[in-house]
Amino acid sequence: MKKLLLVFLLFTAIVSAQDSIKVNLKNPNATVYTHLYFLQSDSYQPEKAAQTIFPNSTKKPKIAAIRLKQILDGKGLFVDFKQIPTDANYKDSLAYGNSHKYVLFPNVMPLISVEKIGDNWYYSQETMSNLDEIYNDIFPWYVSELENLMPNFGHKKVFDIEVWKFIGLLLMLLIAFLVHVIFKRIIYFTLHKIHNYFLRKDSLAIAKVLKKLAHPISLLIALSFVDKIYPSLQFGLTINKWMFIGLNITQTVFWIYVFLKLVTVTMEVYSEITAKTENKLDDQLIPVLNNLLKGIVIFVGILKMLTVLGINTTAVIAGASIGGLAVALASQDTVKNLIGTFMIFLDKPFYIGDWIEAGGVEGSVEEVGFRSSRIRAADTSIFQIPNSKLSEIVINNKGLRLYRRYNTNVGIRYDTPPELIEAFVKGVREIIIAHPETRSEPDSYNVEFTGFGDSSLLILINVYFKSLAWGVEQSSRHKLHIAIVKLAKALGIDFAFPSSTVMIEQFPEKQSLDLKYNIDQKRIDEVIKNQLEEFHKK
């Protein structure tokens, strides 16, 4: 008798202790535990689970409690009780200010939460008011009817799962495939029309990218269909959990792929636009922007993937920020060069192909990279200049000149008669006016007798070539020089060179070295006319 009494007392104490724990509503953790515990198969007491619903917040608290669990199971959401606070006065001050509220799954189900009312915690009024809408969204009636339409064999179990669920799964996958095929054609057609409408040009490269872009977008639509329909098949919580993890990972991968292709399409369109401009710096910006945008897409995609896997991205970002600060401090030059790169693209002190002088380096700009710029000198050697330095030093951009100036002095002999000097100056001026590559407007060139050198009379020639290309300038110089030499030869003018003249006219039977110049004006005019006609022919 004593033993029976002891067993009865122990059983009563255990049951009483369990009830006191299981119906505890004093904190968020206890309320959620109470709700889910009393809806398990081995402890199924929905009337006790309904105590987690605030009285009078719904007419059917038991059905509301059951539906809440079905929603969590249908979306494969495991409740981690280690993450739920046990503080009876818990406040999420960052998100909800001074209100006592806790959201179970803020990223997936932000409308399901518990709040403190009086001394106890219940599922929130917000949850109750949105419960039917959430339930109907996860379990569409037209899919749930499949269970009712199935004959008796459909309710037989294979691997502890009813047959109708396998049939529903196959139908869902078949419809998802058809959705993918149909929408792939529709999306490609739409993207192609949009491209042709805005660019008015059919590009083969962009057409290929658009076709590749349509594939993952249609797959995303098909996956969204699966995500919508799958919970209605009512598989177990464990299966649903892994199913939705797989779906979320697949969707994330496809979204990364879509945005990478969008970057490719954007860069292709941008390259077509920049190809129509004379500015070559925007062409160089394409690979820089392409790498930057793809890097951002991959970084955001990785963060999303970590979120799907249940990793706290806030901690990851904080760690990355601290690590990034340490790397930045350790590699200040690299950071300075990166900032210099952006300053070059913003200020545009030069363009690709411009001839510049910068810090003792002179050459043509070939490339502007993330860290440095490449300058090719006249001897074809390469200078690699850090962009931080290039953005700070004085740059003489000869590529932005309106014209190429050419200035030289021609020396003729001291014994040249004034008439021939005037004729030579006049002839050179006429050559400059006739030259197709020189400016011939008034005050745009100078040919003057400017001084007396050590060994010659100095004739200044100052002209401006129209072409900014170095090779064209050299060709223009050649044509000008040849015409001047021919003019001097035809006029009988000799170019001077450093020399000493010894007068020997006092010696017996020696004649003077004085040259006999022909200064007949008619002949001079005829010579200039003939030289200009010859110049025009060439």
Side-chain angles (χ1 to χ4, degrees):
M1 186 66 181
K2 290 181 179 180
K3 291 182 178 180
L4 290 174
L5 181 61
L6 182 60
V7 169
F8 176 76
L9 290 174
L10 287 173
F11 176 77
T12 303
I14 292 172
V15 171
S16 177
Q18 288 178 344
D19 286 343
S20 64
I21 294 172
K22 294 167 188 174
V23 295
N24 186 5
L25 306 177
K26 296 299 182 183
N27 57 67
N29 189 297
T31 297
V32 176
Y33 181 81
T34 298
H35 169 233
L36 296 179
Y37 177 82
F38 281 114
L39 294 178
Q40 302 300 317
S41 58
D42 55 350
S43 56
Y44 190 76
Q45 299 181 56
E47 64 279 356
K48 291 188 177 181
Q51 294 181 29
T52 60
I53 309 298
F54 186 72
N56 300 324
S57 62
T58 179
K59 295 180 180 179
K60 300 178 180 179
K62 286 201 300 183
I63 294 177
I66 293 171
R67 285 193 168 187
L68 271 174
K69 185 177 184 302
Q70 288 177 336
I71 289 171
L72 297 178
D73 290 350
K75 297 299 290 185
L77 299 175
F78 268 102
V79 176
D80 186 358
F81 288 99
K82 294 180 181 179
Q83 302 295 327
I84 302 178
T86 56
D87 182 9
N89 295 312
Y90 171 81
K91 292 181 180 180
D92 189 347
S93 57
L94 294 178
Y96 305 105
N98 292 322
S99 62
H100 298 277
K101 185 176 182 179
Y102 175 76
V103 180
L104 275 68
F105 301 96
N107 296 324
V108 183
M109 286 286 174
L111 296 179
I112 297 181
S113 60
V114 291
E115 63 182 356
K116 186 176 182 180
I117 302 176
D119 294 330
N120 295 326
W121 285 77
Y122 301 93
Y123 279 100
S124 66
Q125 298 287 345
E126 180 185 28
T127 301
M128 291 298 102
S129 61
N130 291 283
L131 182 62
D132 290 339
E133 182 179 350
I134 297 173
Y135 183 84
N136 293 330
D137 184 61
I138 295 175
F139 302 101
W141 64 269
Y142 49 84
V143 180
S144 300
E145 285 295 321
L146 180 65
E147 179 182 5
N148 300 326
L149 295 174
M150 279 289 167
N152 292 332
F153 82 90
H155 296 283
K156 294 182 179 180
K157 292 186 177 182
V158 177
F159 303 112
D160 203 29
I161 299 174
E162 293 184 5
V163 172
W164 76 269
K165 296 182 181 181
F166 289 108
I167 297 174
L169 183 63
L170 290 175
L171 288 174
M172 180 189 69
L173 294 177
L174 178 61
I175 296 173
F177 176 75
L178 294 175
V179 168
H180 161 64
V181 172
I182 294 171
F183 274 91
K184 181 179 179 180
R185 296 179 180 274
I186 295 174
I187 292 169
Y188 175 71
F189 177 80
T190 305
L191 292 174
H192 193 69
K193 286 294 183 182
I194 292 173
H195 166 252
N196 290 339
Y197 178 78
F198 285 104
L199 293 183
R200 308 289 184 184
K201 182 180 178 182
D202 195 3
S203 172
L204 183 60
I206 294 181
K208 290 181 179 179
V209 177
L210 290 177
K211 194 170 184 178
K212 292 181 180 179
L213 183 61
H215 185 76
I217 293 178
S218 61
L219 283 174
L220 282 170
I221 295 174
L223 287 175
S224 298
F225 172 79
V226 173
D227 184 76
K228 178 79 174 178
I229 301 301
Y230 177 77
S232 297
L233 299 179
Q234 301 177 18
F235 283 93
L237 176 60
T238 302
I239 296 176
N240 288 350
K241 174 188 176 182
W242 292 110
M243 180 67 179
F244 278 105
I245 288 177
L247 280 173
N248 291 333
I249 291 175
T250 305
Q251 286 178 324
T252 302
V253 171
F254 283 155
W255 274 119
I256 293 173
Y257 183 83
V258 166
F259 280 107
L260 288 176
K261 289 301 176 184
L262 280 176
V263 170
T264 303
V265 171
T266 304
M267 290 298 102
E268 287 285 349
V269 174
Y270 182 62
S271 65
E272 287 190 359
I273 295 173
T274 56
K276 300 175 182 178
T277 64
E278 296 181 0
N279 180 6
K280 294 183 180 179
L281 189 60
D282 51 10
D283 297 335
Q284 183 62 37
L285 185 61
I286 293 174
V288 176
L289 279 178
N290 185 58
N291 294 333
L292 177 63
L293 293 176
K294 285 185 176 179
I296 293 174
V297 169
I298 292 173
F299 176 73
V300 174
I302 291 174
L303 289 182
K304 176 63 178 176
M305 191 73 74
L306 294 176
T307 303
V308 170
L309 296 175
I311 299 174
N312 188 354
T313 55
T314 304
V316 173
I317 294 174
S321 300
I322 296 173
L325 179 61
V327 171
L329 292 173
S331 56
Q332 295 183 34
D333 290 340
T334 301
V335 176
K336 287 171 61 179
N337 288 328
L338 185 59
I339 295 174
T341 301
F342 287 114
M343 294 305 299
I344 289 173
F345 281 112
L346 289 174
D347 294 341
K348 298 180 180 178
F350 51 78
Y351 300 117
I352 302 299
D354 283 354
W355 190 273
I356 66 171
E357 288 182 4
V361 175
E362 182 175 357
S364 176
V365 181
E366 282 200 347
E367 181 182 348
V368 179
F370 262 124
R371 194 192 68 84
S372 62
S373 296
R374 191 166 63 189
I375 312 297
R376 186 175 294 277
D379 62 354
T380 71
S381 60
I382 291 291
F383 289 96
Q384 207 79 20
I385 305 178
N387 287 336
S388 59
K389 181 179 179 181
L390 199 59
S391 63
E392 296 174 355
I393 60 178
V394 176
I395 297 175
N396 180 7
N397 188 346
K398 295 184 177 181
L400 294 181
R401 294 177 296 184
L402 297 176
Y403 307 100
R404 280 183 175 266
R405 179 173 179 261
Y406 174 54
N407 183 280
T408 188
N409 281 288
V410 176
I412 61 177
R413 288 171 60 98
Y414 260 100
D415 53 3
T416 305
E419 293 84 356
L420 289 184
I421 295 175
E422 288 286 357
F424 181 69
V425 169
K426 178 183 177 182
V428 174
R429 288 173 182 169
E430 294 292 336
I431 290 172
I432 292 173
I433 294 173
H435 198 301
E437 287 295 328
T438 59
R439 294 187 64 199
S440 57
E441 300 87 355
D443 300 327
S444 62
Y445 63 91
N446 302 95
V447 182
E448 309 292 344
F449 173 30
T450 58
F452 302 88
D454 294 336
S455 304
S456 63
L457 302 175
L458 301 178
I459 307 298
L460 170 69
I461 299 177
N462 182 71
V463 296
Y464 292 89
F465 292 110
K466 297 177 182 178
S467 176
L468 298 178
W470 187 85
V472 176
E473 179 191 356
Q474 304 312 307
S475 176
S476 300
R477 285 191 188 188
H478 170 81
K479 190 173 183 179
L480 177 65
H481 291 162
I482 289 295
I484 292 173
V485 170
K486 288 183 176 181
L487 175 64
K489 183 178 179 181
L491 289 173
I493 292 177
D494 289 335
F495 294 110
F497 51 88
S499 60
S500 298
T501 302
V502 180
M503 303 300 295
I504 60 173
E505 57 185 356
Q506 300 298 328
F507 285 85
E509 300 179 356
K510 299 295 182 181
Q511 295 181 353
S512 172
L513 295 176
D514 188 22
L515 298 177
K516 302 299 182 182
Y517 290 100
N518 188 342
I519 58 174
D520 180 64
Q521 189 62 42
K522 184 177 181 180
R523 190 194 72 86
I524 290 173
D525 293 340
E526 187 69 24
V527 167
I528 294 176
K529 179 181 178 182
N530 293 336
Q531 291 301 310
L532 288 174
E533 289 178 353
E534 183 181 351
F535 183 78
H536 279 297
K537 290 178 182 179
K538 293 186 177 180

